[in-house]
C-alpha cells in the first residue's frame, strides 16, 4: 500500500503531555544544568570572565534558552511537532527524475556564528521552488533534545515550506533523536509517494558525541509499477575511531544495497549526501575515497569525473585564520552514488539568499542531478556503461 508522509495528526505547539510538578521541576533542573555546562565551556573557551560567576551563568543560561527557542516536549520517546496539514497531488508516471542533495548547515551548536538559519533556509526554499526537483535529500537539518526540552523550529519551518512547494511526502526525523543531543539531521522530501516505511539507521561505529550520525533509506513510486530507492547519509568528520568511515560505508552497503542486488533486474538506486570523504585528495592520499567507491559497488559516484568540482566552502568559523580558513575550501566531500539509472546531467548549485550580501545558504554546495530509468530488456543491475555515465 502507498503510505502517506504523515506521522499521525501532529499536535500543536501548545499541546503538552500532562506532567506532575515534580517532573517539571526535574526537567527544569536538567535543562538548567545543561545550559549552565554550556556557558561554563563557553566561558573557558572564549575567556569570558563573567561566565565564571553564578550570576553570569544564570544570565547566559536565560539568554541561551530564549535564543535557541527551547520548548517542553515531555519525556516520551516520540516528541510532538508543529506541522501544517499536507495535500498530496496526483502526478503522472515518469522515467526521469531531478534530484537535489544538500547539507544545509543547521547545526544548533554552531548557530551562534553561522548566518541566520531562518534566512538561509528560506533562500534554499526559493532555490528549490525554482529548480522543480522530484526529490530533495537533506543533511544537517537537526533536531536537538535536552531531556524533556527540544528545539525543532528549523525543521518545522523547512518542512512547512516544502509542503507548500508540493513535497507532500517526507521521512520522519525523530527516530534518530536521542534523549540528549542532536538527531541525524537527515530528511528525504518527495513529491511522489513512498511505497514502504522509511528506514532510519544510526551508525554503530562513530566518534561523534553530539550528533546521531547515520543514514535514511526509503523507496518511492515513479508510477507504472516503477520505483526508486533513495538514501541519504552524513558520515563522521572525525578520524577516530580508526577506520570509522570505512565501517560506516559497510553499514550502508549491508542495509541498503545488499538486499537489492539479488537478480539481473536493474534496481534504480541513489545514495547521496555528505560522506566527509574527499575525492580531490585534499584530506588524505586518496585511499579513503577509493575505499568508499569499492564499498558502495555496484553503485558509481556520478561526480567522480576528470574535473571534480569542490562541494565545500572555505572554513566559515570566525576563529579560522590563514591556512586553517582555506583548509576546507576545495574539498569534494558530497557525493551521489547511482545504479540502474542513466545520468543525464550532474552539476553543483551555489544557492544564495536574496539579501544585499547574497548570503550563502550553507557552507556546502548542493548536488543537482537528473537521472533516467534504464531500459528493462538486456540490462543488468549496476552495469552502467561509460556511455551511461557520461554527463
Amino acid at each position: 500500500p502507498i503510505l502517506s508522509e504523515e506521522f499521525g495528526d501532529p499536535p500543536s505547539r501548545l499541546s503538552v503531555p500532562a506532567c506532575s510538578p515534580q517532573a517539571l521541576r526535574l526537567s527544569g533542573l536538567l535543562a538548567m544544568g545543561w545550559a549552565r555546562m554550556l556557558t561554563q565551556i563557553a566561558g573557558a573557551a572564549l575567556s569570558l570572565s563573567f561566565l565564571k560567576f553564578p550570576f553570569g551563568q544564570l544570565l547566559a543560561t536565560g539568554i541561551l534558552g530564549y535564543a535557541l527557542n527551547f520548548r517542553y516536549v515531555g519525556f516520551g520517546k516520540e516528541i510532538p511537532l508543529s506541522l501544517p496539514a499536507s495535500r498530496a497531488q496526483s502526478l503522472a508516471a515518469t522515467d526521469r527524475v531531478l534530484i537535489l542533495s544538500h547539507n544545509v548547515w543547521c547545526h544548533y551548536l554552531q548557530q551562534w556564528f553561522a548566518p541566520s538559519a531562518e534566512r538561509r533556509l528560506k533562500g534554499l526554499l526559493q532555490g528549490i521552488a525554482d529548480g522543480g526537483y522530484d526529490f530533495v535529500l537533506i543533511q544537517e537539518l537537526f533536531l536537538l533534545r535536552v531531556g524533556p526540552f527540544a528545539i525543532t523550529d528549523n525543521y518545522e519551518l523547512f518542512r512547512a515550506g516544502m509542503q507548500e512547494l508540493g513535497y507532500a511526502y517526507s521521512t520522519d526525523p525523530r527516530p534518530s533523536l536521542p534523549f540528549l543531543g542532536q538527531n541525524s539531521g537527515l530528511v528525504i522530501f518527495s513529491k511522489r509517494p513512498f511505497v514502504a516505511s522509511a528506514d532510519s539507521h544510526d551508525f554503530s561505529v562513530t566518534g561523534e558525541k553530539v550528533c546521531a550520525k547515520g543514514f535514511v533509506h526509503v523507496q518511492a513510486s515513479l508510477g507504472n509499477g516503477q520505483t526508486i530507492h533513495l538514501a541519504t547519509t552524513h558520515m563522521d568528520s572525525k578520524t577516530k575511531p580508526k577506520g570509522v568511515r570505512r565501517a560506516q560505508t559497510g553499514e550502508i552497503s549491508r542495509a541498503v544495497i545488499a538486499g537489492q542486488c539479488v537478480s539481473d533486474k536493474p534496481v534504480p538506486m541513489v545514495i547521496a549526501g555528505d560522506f566527509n570523504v574527499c575525492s580531490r585528495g585534499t584530506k588524505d592520499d586518496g585511499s579513503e575515497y577509493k575505499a568508499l567507491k569499492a564499498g558502495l559497488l555496484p553503485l558509481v559516484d556520478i561526480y567522480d569525473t576528470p574535473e571534480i568540482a569542490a562541494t565545500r566552502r572555505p572554513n566559515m568559523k570566525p576563529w579560522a585564520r590563514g591556512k586553517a580558513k582555506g583548509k576546507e575550501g576545495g574539498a569534494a566531500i558530497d557525493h551521489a552514488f547511482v545504479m540502474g539509472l542513466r545520468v543525464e546531467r550532474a552539476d553543483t548549485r551555489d544557492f544564495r539568499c536574496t539579501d544585499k550580501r547574497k548570503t550563502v545558504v550553507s557552507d556546502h554546495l548542493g548536488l543537482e542531478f537528473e537521472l533516467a530509468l534504464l531500459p528493462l530488456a538486456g540490462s543488468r543491475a549496476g552495469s552502467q556503461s561509460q556511455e551511461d555515465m557520461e554527463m
Side-chain angles (χ1 to χ4, degrees):
I2 302 299
L3 301 181
S4 168
E5 79 293 356
E6 293 300 322
F7 324 134
D9 295 329
S12 71
R13 187 178 287 274
L14 298 178
S15 178
V16 187
C19 190
S20 68
Q22 293 83 356
L24 283 172
R25 282 196 292 271
L26 175 61
S27 63
L29 287 173
L30 285 170
M32 183 69 76
W34 181 83
R36 183 175 179 183
M37 177 186 71
L38 284 184
T39 57
Q40 289 174 329
I41 293 172
L46 303 177
S47 299
L48 301 177
S49 57
F50 78 95
L51 291 180
K52 297 178 181 178
F53 302 99
F55 176 77
Q57 293 172 8
L58 183 63
L59 177 63
T61 297
I63 295 173
L64 183 68
Y66 177 79
L68 292 180
N69 195 24
F70 270 109
R71 64 185 177 89
Y72 180 76
V73 295
F75 291 85
K77 186 175 181 180
E78 186 172 280
I79 68 170
L81 293 171
S82 178
L83 300 170
S86 63
R87 299 178 183 87
Q89 55 186 334
S90 178
L91 298 174
T94 184
D95 61 357
R96 288 173 180 263
V97 292
L98 184 59
I99 300 176
L100 175 71
S101 176
H102 212 305
N103 179 316
V104 298
W105 194 26
C106 285
H107 195 304
Y108 279 108
L109 301 185
Q110 294 183 5
Q111 286 194 27
W112 63 274
F113 67 81
S116 164
E118 180 179 351
R119 182 167 74 246
R120 292 187 292 107
L121 288 174
K122 288 180 178 179
L124 180 57
L125 284 168
Q126 183 58 57
I128 291 171
D130 296 339
Y133 305 101
D134 296 285
F135 305 104
V136 178
L137 283 54
I138 293 295
Q139 305 91 47
E140 285 201 20
L141 186 61
F142 288 112
L143 307 177
L144 171 62
R145 184 170 186 177
V146 185
F149 296 92
I151 319 173
T152 59
D153 51 347
N154 286 339
Y155 169 75
E156 290 172 338
L157 180 152
F158 195 75
R159 166 82 186 268
M162 291 294 280
Q163 287 183 184
E164 288 182 9
L165 295 178
Y167 294 88
Y169 307 91
S170 65
T171 56
D172 189 342
R174 294 174 291 183
S176 64
L177 182 63
F179 194 67
L180 292 171
Q182 293 188 135
N183 74 329
S184 68
L186 303 171
V187 190
I188 297 176
F189 293 94
S190 173
K191 289 183 177 178
R192 298 181 175 276
F194 298 152
V195 299
S197 299
D199 295 320
S200 177
H201 294 259
D202 294 343
F203 288 129
S204 61
V205 179
T206 179
E208 300 281 352
K209 304 300 182 184
V210 176
C211 311
K213 291 294 181 71
F215 56 96
V216 173
H217 170 218
V218 73
Q219 188 177 6
S221 172
L222 299 179
N224 288 342
Q226 298 278 12
T227 64
I228 183 172
H229 288 265
L230 300 162
T232 186
T233 186
H234 192 183
M235 289 186 178
D236 278 25
S237 60
K238 313 291 184 183
T239 57
K240 295 181 180 179
K242 186 177 180 180
V244 59
R245 285 184 288 272
R246 299 190 187 201
Q248 292 172 352
T249 301
E251 290 188 45
I252 295 173
S253 178
R254 290 188 294 274
V256 180
I257 303 173
Q260 308 306 324
C261 297
V262 295
S263 72
D264 287 343
K265 183 179 179 181
V267 180
M269 180 180 290
V270 175
I271 302 176
D274 179 355
F275 291 82
N276 272 308
V277 176
C278 183
S279 57
R280 305 183 81 195
T282 65
K283 292 179 174 289
D284 64 356
D285 60 1
S287 58
E288 280 224 42
Y289 183 57
K290 290 179 181 178
L292 176 65
K293 291 194 294 182
L296 293 182
L297 286 173
L299 281 74
V300 179
D301 183 8
I302 62 177
Y303 286 86
D304 183 17
T305 64
E307 296 181 2
I308 300 172
T311 65
R312 185 68 159 79
R313 299 182 191 278
N315 196 327
M316 300 180 73
K317 296 180 176 65
W319 57 84
R321 295 290 185 273
K323 290 183 178 180
K325 193 168 185 65
K327 185 179 180 181
E328 294 293 343
I333 58 177
D334 303 271
H335 309 286
F337 289 84
V338 170
M339 79 170 177
L341 296 151
R342 183 177 67 250
V343 182
E344 299 296 320
R345 62 183 179 89
D347 306 300
T348 57
R349 291 298 306 271
D350 182 5
F351 293 108
R352 302 273 177 154
C353 300
T354 57
D355 56 359
K356 291 182 179 180
R357 295 184 177 182
K358 299 295 182 183
T359 303
V360 299
V361 302
S362 175
D363 56 350
H364 288 245
L365 299 180
L367 305 183
E368 176 185 284
F369 46 100
E370 185 176 7
L371 308 171
L373 293 173
L374 293 176
L376 290 178
S379 297
R380 290 178 59 85
S383 64
Q384 293 108 314
S385 66
Q386 184 61 41
E387 288 74 22
D388 288 332
M389 300 302 297
E390 286 178 357
M391 305 301 173

